[in-house]
PDB file of all heavy atoms in Angstrom:
ATOM      1  N   ASP A 141     147.387  98.831 -40.852  1.00 82.00           N
ATOM      2  CA  ASP A 141     146.194  97.929 -40.797  1.00 82.00           C
ATOM      3  C   ASP A 141     145.359  98.442 -39.627  1.00 82.00           C
ATOM      4  O   ASP A 141     145.218  97.785 -38.700  1.00 82.00           O
ATOM      5  CB  ASP A 141     146.689  96.613 -40.706  1.00 82.00           C
ATOM      6  CG  ASP A 141     145.485  95.605 -40.675  1.00 82.00           C
ATOM      7  OD1 ASP A 141     144.310  96.108 -41.187  1.00 82.00           O
ATOM      8  OD2 ASP A 141     145.621  94.460 -40.303  1.00 82.00           O
ATOM      9  N   ALA A 143     142.261  98.604 -39.080  1.00 90.00           N
ATOM     10  CA  ALA A 143     141.089  97.784 -38.624  1.00 90.00           C
ATOM     11  C   ALA A 143     141.582  96.624 -37.604  1.00 90.00           C
ATOM     12  O   ALA A 143     140.834  95.983 -36.959  1.00 90.00           O
ATOM     13  CB  ALA A 143     140.442  97.059 -39.778  1.00 90.00           C
ATOM     14  N   ALA A 144     142.886  96.461 -37.570  1.00 91.00           N
ATOM     15  CA  ALA A 144     143.472  95.487 -36.467  1.00 91.00           C
ATOM     16  C   ALA A 144     143.594  95.941 -35.087  1.00 91.00           C
ATOM     17  O   ALA A 144     144.126  95.451 -34.235  1.00 91.00           O
ATOM     18  CB  ALA A 144     144.771  94.870 -37.057  1.00 91.00           C
ATOM     19  N   VAL A 185     133.986  88.923 -33.780  1.00 95.00           N
ATOM     20  CA  VAL A 185     133.714  88.942 -35.225  1.00 95.00           C
ATOM     21  C   VAL A 185     134.973  89.359 -35.926  1.00 95.00           C
ATOM     22  O   VAL A 185     135.896  89.948 -35.345  1.00 95.00           O
ATOM     23  CB  VAL A 185     132.537  89.980 -35.347  1.00 95.00           C
ATOM     24  CG1 VAL A 185     131.292  89.498 -34.590  1.00 95.00           C
ATOM     25  CG2 VAL A 185     132.907  91.368 -34.905  1.00 95.00           C
ATOM     26  N   PRO A 186     134.930  89.370 -37.307  1.00 94.00           N
ATOM     27  CA  PRO A 186     136.057  89.731 -38.103  1.00 94.00           C
ATOM     28  C   PRO A 186     136.375  91.281 -37.766  1.00 94.00           C
ATOM     29  O   PRO A 186     135.586  92.052 -37.422  1.00 94.00           O
ATOM     30  CB  PRO A 186     135.604  89.493 -39.538  1.00 94.00           C
ATOM     31  CG  PRO A 186     134.684  88.411 -39.465  1.00 94.00           C
ATOM     32  CD  PRO A 186     134.023  88.675 -38.134  1.00 94.00           C
ATOM     33  N   LYS A 187     137.725  91.576 -38.013  1.00 92.00           N
ATOM     34  CA  LYS A 187     138.170  92.910 -37.416  1.00 92.00           C
ATOM     35  C   LYS A 187     137.438  94.104 -37.935  1.00 92.00           C
ATOM     36  O   LYS A 187     137.381  95.112 -37.117  1.00 92.00           O
ATOM     37  CB  LYS A 187     139.675  92.970 -37.784  1.00 92.00           C
ATOM     38  CG  LYS A 187     139.928  93.003 -39.319  1.00 92.00           C
ATOM     39  CD  LYS A 187     141.496  93.040 -39.603  1.00 92.00           C
ATOM     40  CE  LYS A 187     141.867  93.082 -41.014  1.00 92.00           C
ATOM     41  NZ  LYS A 187     143.225  93.101 -41.285  1.00 92.00           N
ATOM     42  N   HIS A 188     136.927  94.213 -39.158  1.00 92.00           N
ATOM     43  CA  HIS A 188     136.138  95.401 -39.579  1.00 92.00           C
ATOM     44  C   HIS A 188     134.797  95.505 -38.983  1.00 92.00           C
ATOM     45  O   HIS A 188     134.314  96.645 -38.925  1.00 92.00           O
ATOM     46  CB  HIS A 188     136.077  95.362 -41.075  1.00 92.00           C
ATOM     47  CG  HIS A 188     137.427  95.554 -41.808  1.00 92.00           C
ATOM     48  ND1 HIS A 188     138.208  94.481 -42.128  1.00 92.00           N
ATOM     49  CD2 HIS A 188     138.015  96.703 -42.272  1.00 92.00           C
ATOM     50  CE1 HIS A 188     139.309  94.924 -42.765  1.00 92.00           C
ATOM     51  NE2 HIS A 188     139.244  96.247 -42.882  1.00 92.00           N
ATOM     52  N   ARG A 189     134.377  94.500 -38.395  1.00 93.00           N
ATOM     53  CA  ARG A 189     132.933  94.543 -37.885  1.00 93.00           C
ATOM     54  C   ARG A 189     132.829  94.763 -36.390  1.00 93.00           C
ATOM     55  O   ARG A 189     131.684  95.039 -35.917  1.00 93.00           O
ATOM     56  CB  ARG A 189     132.135  93.299 -38.243  1.00 93.00           C
ATOM     57  CG  ARG A 189     132.222  92.998 -39.745  1.00 93.00           C
ATOM     58  CD  ARG A 189     130.907  92.199 -40.191  1.00 93.00           C
ATOM     59  NE  ARG A 189     130.656  91.095 -39.551  1.00 93.00           N
ATOM     60  CZ  ARG A 189     131.023  89.872 -39.957  1.00 93.00           C
ATOM     61  NH1 ARG A 189     131.489  89.706 -41.110  1.00 93.00           N
ATOM     62  NH2 ARG A 189     130.713  88.751 -39.217  1.00 93.00           N
ATOM     63  N   GLU A 399     143.551  92.827 -53.214  1.00 80.00           N
ATOM     64  CA  GLU A 399     144.564  91.867 -52.804  1.00 80.00           C
ATOM     65  C   GLU A 399     143.801  90.805 -52.043  1.00 80.00           C
ATOM     66  O   GLU A 399     142.838  90.995 -51.335  1.00 80.00           O
ATOM     67  CB  GLU A 399     145.492  92.471 -51.813  1.00 80.00           C
ATOM     68  CG  GLU A 399     146.606  93.509 -52.438  1.00 80.00           C
ATOM     69  CD  GLU A 399     147.730  93.871 -51.549  1.00 80.00           C
ATOM     70  OE1 GLU A 399     147.508  93.683 -50.306  1.00 80.00           O
ATOM     71  OE2 GLU A 399     148.720  94.300 -52.007  1.00 80.00           O
ATOM     72  N   PRO A 400     144.348  89.477 -52.096  1.00 81.00           N
ATOM     73  CA  PRO A 400     143.724  88.428 -51.279  1.00 81.00           C
ATOM     74  C   PRO A 400     143.890  88.728 -49.814  1.00 81.00           C
ATOM     75  O   PRO A 400     144.912  89.215 -49.352  1.00 81.00           O
ATOM     76  CB  PRO A 400     144.744  87.264 -51.597  1.00 81.00           C
ATOM     77  CG  PRO A 400     145.337  87.573 -52.966  1.00 81.00           C
ATOM     78  CD  PRO A 400     145.482  89.171 -52.914  1.00 81.00           C
ATOM     79  N   ARG A 401     142.799  88.502 -49.123  1.00 81.00           N
ATOM     80  CA  ARG A 401     142.785  88.785 -47.655  1.00 81.00           C
ATOM     81  C   ARG A 401     142.345  87.615 -46.942  1.00 81.00           C
ATOM     82  O   ARG A 401     141.106  87.246 -46.846  1.00 81.00           O
ATOM     83  CB  ARG A 401     141.877  90.009 -47.391  1.00 81.00           C
ATOM     84  CG  ARG A 401     142.366  91.351 -47.912  1.00 81.00           C
ATOM     85  CD  ARG A 401     141.491  92.450 -47.655  1.00 81.00           C
ATOM     86  NE  ARG A 401     141.955  93.776 -47.971  1.00 81.00           N
ATOM     87  CZ  ARG A 401     141.846  94.383 -49.101  1.00 81.00           C
ATOM     88  NH1 ARG A 401     141.039  93.857 -50.042  1.00 81.00           N
ATOM     89  NH2 ARG A 401     142.399  95.501 -49.416  1.00 81.00           N
ATOM     90  N   THR A 402     143.265  86.957 -46.359  1.00 83.00           N
ATOM     91  CA  THR A 402     143.028  85.648 -45.661  1.00 83.00           C
ATOM     92  C   THR A 402     142.356  85.872 -44.328  1.00 83.00           C
ATOM     93  O   THR A 402     141.780  84.924 -43.698  1.00 83.00           O
ATOM     94  CB  THR A 402     144.338  84.912 -45.437  1.00 83.00           C
ATOM     95  OG1 THR A 402     145.261  85.674 -44.688  1.00 83.00           O
ATOM     96  CG2 THR A 402     144.997  84.539 -46.757  1.00 83.00           C
ATOM     97  N   ASP A 403     142.411  87.120 -43.815  1.00 82.00           N
ATOM     98  CA  ASP A 403     141.834  87.295 -42.469  1.00 82.00           C
ATOM     99  C   ASP A 403     140.371  87.977 -42.543  1.00 82.00           C
ATOM    100  O   ASP A 403     139.810  88.358 -41.512  1.00 82.00           O
ATOM    101  CB  ASP A 403     142.713  88.326 -41.654  1.00 82.00           C
ATOM    102  CG  ASP A 403     142.768  89.730 -42.345  1.00 82.00           C
ATOM    103  OD1 ASP A 403     142.362  89.858 -43.492  1.00 82.00           O
ATOM    104  OD2 ASP A 403     143.440  90.571 -41.813  1.00 82.00           O
ATOM    105  N   LYS A 404     139.768  87.961 -43.783  1.00 79.00           N
ATOM    106  CA  LYS A 404     138.558  88.765 -43.951  1.00 79.00           C
ATOM    107  C   LYS A 404     137.404  87.998 -43.190  1.00 79.00           C
ATOM    108  O   LYS A 404     136.521  88.816 -42.574  1.00 79.00           O
ATOM    109  CB  LYS A 404     138.243  88.645 -45.367  1.00 79.00           C
ATOM    110  CG  LYS A 404     136.909  89.342 -45.887  1.00 79.00           C
ATOM    111  CD  LYS A 404     136.701  89.334 -47.351  1.00 79.00           C
ATOM    112  CE  LYS A 404     135.397  90.097 -47.632  1.00 79.00           C
ATOM    113  NZ  LYS A 404     135.149  90.000 -49.121  1.00 79.00           N
ATOM    114  N   ASP A 405     137.363  86.793 -42.972  1.00 86.00           N
ATOM    115  CA  ASP A 405     136.262  86.078 -42.265  1.00 86.00           C
ATOM    116  C   ASP A 405     136.721  85.438 -40.861  1.00 86.00           C
ATOM    117  O   ASP A 405     136.053  84.635 -40.404  1.00 86.00           O
ATOM    118  CB  ASP A 405     135.629  85.023 -43.148  1.00 86.00           C
ATOM    119  CG  ASP A 405     135.104  85.598 -44.400  1.00 86.00           C
ATOM    120  OD1 ASP A 405     134.444  86.648 -44.397  1.00 86.00           O
ATOM    121  OD2 ASP A 405     135.295  85.023 -45.532  1.00 86.00           O
ATOM    122  N   VAL A 406     137.817  85.980 -40.444  1.00 91.00           N
ATOM    123  CA  VAL A 406     138.372  85.368 -39.172  1.00 91.00           C
ATOM    124  C   VAL A 406     138.104  86.303 -38.014  1.00 91.00           C
ATOM    125  O   VAL A 406     138.236  87.615 -38.203  1.00 91.00           O
ATOM    126  CB  VAL A 406     139.930  85.125 -39.241  1.00 91.00           C
ATOM    127  CG1 VAL A 406     140.502  84.577 -38.005  1.00 91.00           C
ATOM    128  CG2 VAL A 406     140.155  84.202 -40.476  1.00 91.00           C
ATOM    129  N   ALA A 407     137.568  85.829 -36.897  1.00 93.00           N
ATOM    130  CA  ALA A 407     137.340  86.704 -35.682  1.00 93.00           C
ATOM    131  C   ALA A 407     138.544  87.353 -35.348  1.00 93.00           C
ATOM    132  O   ALA A 407     139.664  86.747 -35.424  1.00 93.00           O
ATOM    133  CB  ALA A 407     136.817  85.830 -34.619  1.00 93.00           C
ATOM    134  N   TRP A 408     138.509  88.570 -34.875  1.00 91.00           N
ATOM    135  CA  TRP A 408     139.728  89.399 -34.421  1.00 91.00           C
ATOM    136  C   TRP A 408     140.472  88.694 -33.399  1.00 91.00           C
ATOM    137  O   TRP A 408     141.661  88.634 -33.456  1.00 91.00           O
ATOM    138  CB  TRP A 408     139.254  90.858 -33.973  1.00 91.00           C
ATOM    139  CG  TRP A 408     140.405  91.583 -33.420  1.00 91.00           C
ATOM    140  CD1 TRP A 408     141.315  92.304 -34.247  1.00 91.00           C
ATOM    141  CD2 TRP A 408     140.827  91.695 -32.047  1.00 91.00           C
ATOM    142  NE1 TRP A 408     142.168  92.976 -33.332  1.00 91.00           N
ATOM    143  CE2 TRP A 408     141.872  92.519 -31.973  1.00 91.00           C
ATOM    144  CE3 TRP A 408     140.309  91.148 -30.827  1.00 91.00           C
ATOM    145  CZ2 TRP A 408     142.535  92.928 -30.837  1.00 91.00           C
ATOM    146  CZ3 TRP A 408     140.963  91.457 -29.727  1.00 91.00           C
ATOM    147  CH2 TRP A 408     141.967  92.332 -29.740  1.00 91.00           C
ATOM    148  N   ASP A 410     141.122  85.649 -32.930  1.00 90.00           N
ATOM    149  CA  ASP A 410     141.917  84.567 -33.497  1.00 90.00           C
ATOM    150  C   ASP A 410     142.907  84.973 -34.427  1.00 90.00           C
ATOM    151  O   ASP A 410     143.598  84.021 -34.978  1.00 90.00           O
ATOM    152  CB  ASP A 410     140.833  83.650 -34.240  1.00 90.00           C
ATOM    153  CG  ASP A 410     139.862  83.006 -33.306  1.00 90.00           C
ATOM    154  OD1 ASP A 410     140.133  82.765 -32.052  1.00 90.00           O
ATOM    155  OD2 ASP A 410     138.755  82.780 -33.731  1.00 90.00           O
ATOM    156  N   LEU A 411     143.092  86.258 -34.756  1.00 87.00           N
ATOM    157  CA  LEU A 411     144.214  86.682 -35.607  1.00 87.00           C
ATOM    158  C   LEU A 411     145.491  86.579 -34.990  1.00 87.00           C
ATOM    159  O   LEU A 411     145.629  86.866 -33.699  1.00 87.00           O
ATOM    160  CB  LEU A 411     143.871  88.108 -36.008  1.00 87.00           C
ATOM    161  CG  LEU A 411     142.738  88.407 -36.924  1.00 87.00           C
ATOM    162  CD1 LEU A 411     142.553  89.831 -37.196  1.00 87.00           C
ATOM    163  CD2 LEU A 411     142.802  87.588 -38.247  1.00 87.00           C
ATOM    164  N   ALA A 412     146.557  86.296 -35.709  1.00 80.00           N
ATOM    165  CA  ALA A 412     147.942  86.225 -35.197  1.00 80.00           C
ATOM    166  C   ALA A 412     148.330  87.656 -34.939  1.00 80.00           C
ATOM    167  O   ALA A 412     148.227  88.439 -35.683  1.00 80.00           O
ATOM    168  CB  ALA A 412     148.857  85.580 -36.207  1.00 80.00           C
TER     169      ALA A 412
END
Side-chain angles (χ1 to χ4, degrees):
D141 186 11
V185 297
K187 60 183 181 181
H188 289 88
R189 301 214 304 261
E399 285 192 342
R401 293 185 170 89
T402 58
D403 60 356
K404 185 176 179 181
D405 298 317
V406 179
W408 176 83
D410 296 326
L411 294 176

